[in-house]
């Protein structure tokens, strides 16, 4: 039965004597109640942890995994929490495993989907798998380099593609050896299955079988890596339960799964590719600046929650940050700390530096900061579509510039907005469309011009002589 993790407070492996760096113990104990208090753990299966599993965790005799299907060329913020969960386990000395679903991506997970996913070719799946592997490598490397405040060595993490084992299994063997242990009744009870079966769209056999493949992934990992633990988004609990049931039937062992909350918008919609609002972890798709701004724009309530989820800040320091923020909310200290920690984890020190410089240049109206930015970094800040290279000539006007920079589709709209004072060049309002672009006032020493339309739509022109 699925339940909240309140029962874990009685878990026998939890210690009330946290490790410090001077006591020479290799890692702190895995304090799941603390992770629950931070909001990182939403649900657990089963709802209590047996003595054997507790001993395996305390002795570091198990590993933990999370899986991601490469249905896009980047992971997004919604995928970040399972990875952070893996990092918390790694910090406790437990080896993390990331499964890239090269095989399952070709089937398509129906969880939360109203219609069947479009089929992805194997070539695209391979390209996506390589790209998200880079996301994952960067996150583990940045955590180790910038956020792991200890001299102790973290256990290595493993990335595996489930195509590695499925390519050698034919359909008859899978059904004969695995399918016989999976009960249709349990599969039919899954919410996503019921929703689709009761819809006009229906559900294909491929989608219906998806949970069987994810279940086998866990069984394979248990046999290969002694992996008794799985972590994933709360929308994955149905698939996790399929794996839990399969392992119990085949081996007699009881594994353990837990979910992290879904990251949603203010209206309750989750972030992701299908929703069209993804904040990508690849800087080519969401710039380091936009990634930083996503967290910086959080409301006070969200910032307090997100700091607990997306950072590894100890509880005492976290309390100090939030108290300081509440004493002077206008300084947005919680949002700044949140954006800093999340950007450092995903994009590293250089990415954070670029995001901070861009924030200073774009939003603090600092012409000096804008002048010091390397023109080559603007595509990574704003995105390639918002950066234009133009040849400089002596007669080009403000109107010519905003049109060639694709700030407007129609010239009449450009003239109207310029005349109304809605166009800023290097943070200075301009109202005359036919003014000729001049070095110094319009072109900065680094040969760039920043154009702002309204409050937050930015474009950059890089001038070529």
């Amino acid at each position: 039965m699925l339940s909240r993790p309140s029962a874990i407070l009685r878990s026998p492996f939890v210690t009330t004597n946290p490790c410090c760096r001077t006591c020479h113990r290799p890692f702190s104990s895995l304090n799941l109640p603390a992770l629950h208090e931070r909001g990182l753990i939403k649900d657990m299966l089963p709802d209590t942890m047996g003595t054997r599993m507790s001993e395996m965790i305390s002795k570091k005799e198990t590993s933990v995994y999370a899986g991601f299907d490469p249905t896009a060329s980047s992971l997004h913020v919604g995928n970040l929490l399972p990875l952070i969960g893996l990092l918390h386990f790694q910090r406790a000395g437990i080896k993390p495993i990331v499964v890239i679903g090269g095989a399952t991506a070709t089937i398509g997970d129906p969880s939360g989907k109203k219609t069947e996913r479009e089929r992805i070719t194997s070539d695209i799946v391979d390209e996506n798998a390589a790209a998200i592997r880079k996301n994952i490598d960067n996150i583990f490397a940045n955590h180790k380099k910038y956020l792991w405040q200890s001299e102790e060595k973290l256990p290595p993490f493993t990335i595996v593609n489930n195509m590695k084992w499925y390519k050698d299994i034919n359909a008859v063997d899978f059904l004969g050896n695995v399918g016989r242990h999976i009960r249709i009744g349990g599969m039919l009870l899954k919410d996503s299955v019921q929703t689709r079966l009761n819809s006009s769209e229906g559900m294909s056999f491929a989608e219906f079988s998806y949970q069987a493949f994810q279940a086998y992934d866990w069984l394979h990992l248990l046999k290969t890596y002694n992996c008794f633990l799985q972590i994933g988004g709360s929308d994955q609990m149905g698939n996790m339960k399929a794996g839990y049931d399969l392992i119990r039937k085949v081996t007699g062992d009881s594994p353990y799964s837990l979910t992290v909350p879904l990251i949603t918008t203010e209206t309750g919609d989750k972030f992701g590719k299908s929703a069209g609002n993804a904040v990508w972890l690849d800087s080519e798709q969401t710039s380091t600046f936009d990634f930083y701004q996503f967290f910086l724009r959080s409301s006070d309530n969200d910032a307090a929650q997100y700091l607990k989820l997306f950072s590894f800040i100890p509880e005492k320091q976290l309390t100090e940050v939030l108290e300081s923020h509440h004493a002077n909310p206008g300084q947005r200290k919680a949002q700044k700390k949140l954006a800093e920690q999340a950007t450092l984890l995903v994009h590293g020190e250089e990415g954070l530096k670029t995001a901070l410089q861009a924030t200073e240049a774009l939003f603090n109206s600092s012409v000096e900061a804008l002048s010091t930015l390397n023109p080559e970094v603007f595509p990574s800040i704003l995105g390639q579509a918002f950066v234009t290279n133009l040849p400089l000539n002596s007669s080009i006007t403000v109107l010519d510039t905003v049109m060639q920079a694709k700030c407007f589709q129609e010239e009449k709209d450009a003239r109207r907005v310029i005349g109304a004072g809605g166009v800023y060049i290097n943070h200075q309002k301009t109202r005359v469309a036919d003014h000729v672009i001049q070095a110094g006032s319009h072109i900065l020493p680094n040969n760039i011009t920043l154009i702002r339309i309204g409050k937050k739509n930015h474009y950059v022109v890089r001038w070529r002589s």
Side-chain angles (χ1 to χ4, degrees):
M1 180 178 178
L2 187 63
S3 77
R4 302 290 187 214
S6 57
I8 201 166
L9 296 174
R10 301 188 301 272
S11 178
F13 71 83
V14 175
T15 177
T16 57
N17 181 26
C19 175
C20 64
R21 291 182 63 175
T22 58
C23 55
H24 303 292
R25 289 170 55 194
F27 295 96
S28 61
S29 296
L30 181 65
N31 195 334
L32 288 181
L35 296 184
H36 172 49
E37 288 298 318
R38 290 179 79 105
L40 191 63
I41 297 175
K42 187 174 186 294
D43 295 311
M44 305 192 316
L45 179 71
D47 60 356
T48 57
M49 186 171 286
T51 302
R52 179 167 177 265
M53 179 62 71
S54 301
E55 291 176 352
M56 290 176 68
I57 291 175
S58 64
K59 295 177 181 179
K60 319 297 188 267
E61 293 176 347
T62 184
S63 54
V64 57
Y65 100 94
F68 305 93
D69 283 350
T71 55
S73 57
S74 172
L75 297 178
H76 52 75
V77 164
N79 303 129
L80 191 52
L81 282 189
L83 289 171
I84 288 176
L86 290 182
L87 290 170
H88 276 288
F89 277 93
Q90 187 187 37
R91 292 163 79 92
I94 295 171
K95 182 177 179 178
I97 301 169
V98 180
V99 173
I100 296 177
T104 42
T106 64
I107 300 169
D109 184 1
S111 299
K113 304 298 177 186
K114 296 180 180 178
T115 59
E116 187 166 5
R117 294 176 184 267
E118 292 187 11
R119 192 174 188 280
I120 308 175
T121 66
S122 58
D123 288 343
I124 297 298
V125 169
D126 290 343
E127 290 176 9
N128 290 348
I132 69 171
R133 182 185 182 106
K134 184 177 179 182
N135 296 159
I136 296 161
D137 281 333
N138 287 342
I139 287 169
F140 275 88
N142 290 335
H143 167 261
K144 179 180 179 180
K145 185 173 183 180
Y146 303 115
L147 299 169
W148 176 235
Q149 304 295 325
S150 173
E151 297 173 358
E152 302 294 344
K153 188 176 180 180
L154 290 165
F157 70 98
T158 299
I159 302 179
V160 291
N161 191 319
N162 63 10
M163 184 60 81
K164 180 179 180 181
W165 49 88
Y166 284 119
K167 65 182 176 64
D168 296 324
I169 303 175
N170 63 45
V172 173
D173 288 341
F174 186 80
L175 290 173
N177 296 325
V178 180
R180 69 175 59 254
H181 297 290
I182 299 174
R183 293 294 174 262
I184 294 294
M187 297 173 73
L188 287 170
L189 290 175
K190 188 178 174 185
D191 289 342
S192 62
V193 173
Q194 285 293 314
T195 300
R196 289 286 296 282
L197 289 179
N198 293 325
S199 70
S200 58
E201 174 74 15
M203 171 176 274
S204 70
F205 174 73
E207 288 182 294
F208 182 67
S209 67
Y210 180 90
Q211 54 187 300
F213 285 88
Q214 186 167 324
Y216 180 72
D217 284 347
W218 196 359
L219 177 61
H220 174 84
L221 294 174
L222 184 143
K223 291 180 176 179
T224 307
Y225 298 99
N226 206 43
C227 181
F228 279 83
L229 295 164
Q230 181 180 182
I231 187 169
S234 59
D235 59 344
Q236 290 297 307
M237 183 54 90
N239 292 328
M240 291 179 171
K241 187 173 187 311
Y244 171 84
D245 290 340
L246 178 63
I247 288 172
R248 283 181 60 85
K249 287 180 182 296
V250 173
T251 69
D253 287 313
S254 181
Y256 198 75
S257 61
L258 48 87
T259 66
V260 297
L262 298 179
I263 301 302
T264 60
T265 66
E266 292 180 354
T267 59
D269 298 321
K270 74 175 186 177
F271 286 94
K273 175 173 66 74
S274 300
N277 58 3
V279 178
W280 302 103
L281 307 189
D282 185 341
S283 61
E284 293 294 321
Q285 299 183 56
T286 294
S287 70
T288 54
F289 167 73
D290 283 334
F291 184 88
Y292 179 89
Q293 287 294 318
F294 168 76
F295 289 101
L296 190 65
R297 291 193 296 264
S298 301
S299 67
D300 286 352
N301 287 338
D302 283 347
Q305 177 191 6
Y306 288 174
L307 259 176
K308 298 174 183 178
L309 296 176
F310 290 100
S311 81
F312 299 93
I313 299 173
E315 288 299 320
K316 181 179 179 181
Q317 184 183 344
L318 193 61
T319 300
E320 291 172 354
V321 171
L322 294 177
E323 287 177 350
S324 178
H325 172 82
H326 292 316
N328 193 343
Q331 293 186 3
R332 298 178 67 79
K333 290 183 179 180
Q335 285 89 344
K336 289 176 181 177
K337 177 60 73 172
L338 165 66
E340 169 201 286
Q341 293 292 297
T343 306
L344 193 61
L345 176 63
V346 175
H347 295 295
E349 200 169 62
E350 282 302 310
L352 176 60
K353 180 180 177 182
T354 299
L356 290 172
Q357 288 177 329
T359 299
E360 177 73 14
L362 299 182
F363 288 113
N364 294 343
S365 300
S366 173
V367 175
E368 181 181 356
L370 190 60
S371 301
T372 60
L373 282 173
N374 185 334
E376 301 305 318
V377 306
F378 281 101
S380 68
I381 294 172
L382 298 176
Q384 188 66 54
F386 300 95
V387 179
T388 304
N389 299 319
L390 294 179
L392 180 61
N393 63 66
S394 59
S395 61
I396 191 167
T397 65
V398 170
L399 179 63
D400 297 332
T401 303
V402 297
M403 291 306 297
Q404 292 182 50
K406 298 182 175 63
C407 304
F408 299 92
Q409 292 185 340
E410 301 288 341
E411 184 176 311
K412 64 180 181 180
D413 293 330
R415 285 190 177 276
R416 175 177 54 80
V417 176
I418 292 171
V423 174
Y424 295 76
I425 292 184
N426 299 332
H427 301 304
Q428 299 299 313
K429 185 181 294 185
T430 180
R431 290 181 179 271
V432 182
D434 295 322
H435 265 174
V436 175
I437 295 293
Q438 300 287 336
S441 58
H442 297 129
I443 304 174
L444 298 177
N446 53 354
N447 289 326
I448 67 103
T449 295
L450 174 69
I451 303 168
R452 191 180 91 223
I453 311 299
K455 292 184 177 181
K456 60 179 182 180
N457 296 313
H458 296 89
Y459 302 81
V460 164
V461 174
R462 298 186 295 191
W463 298 100
R464 305 301 188 206
S465 56

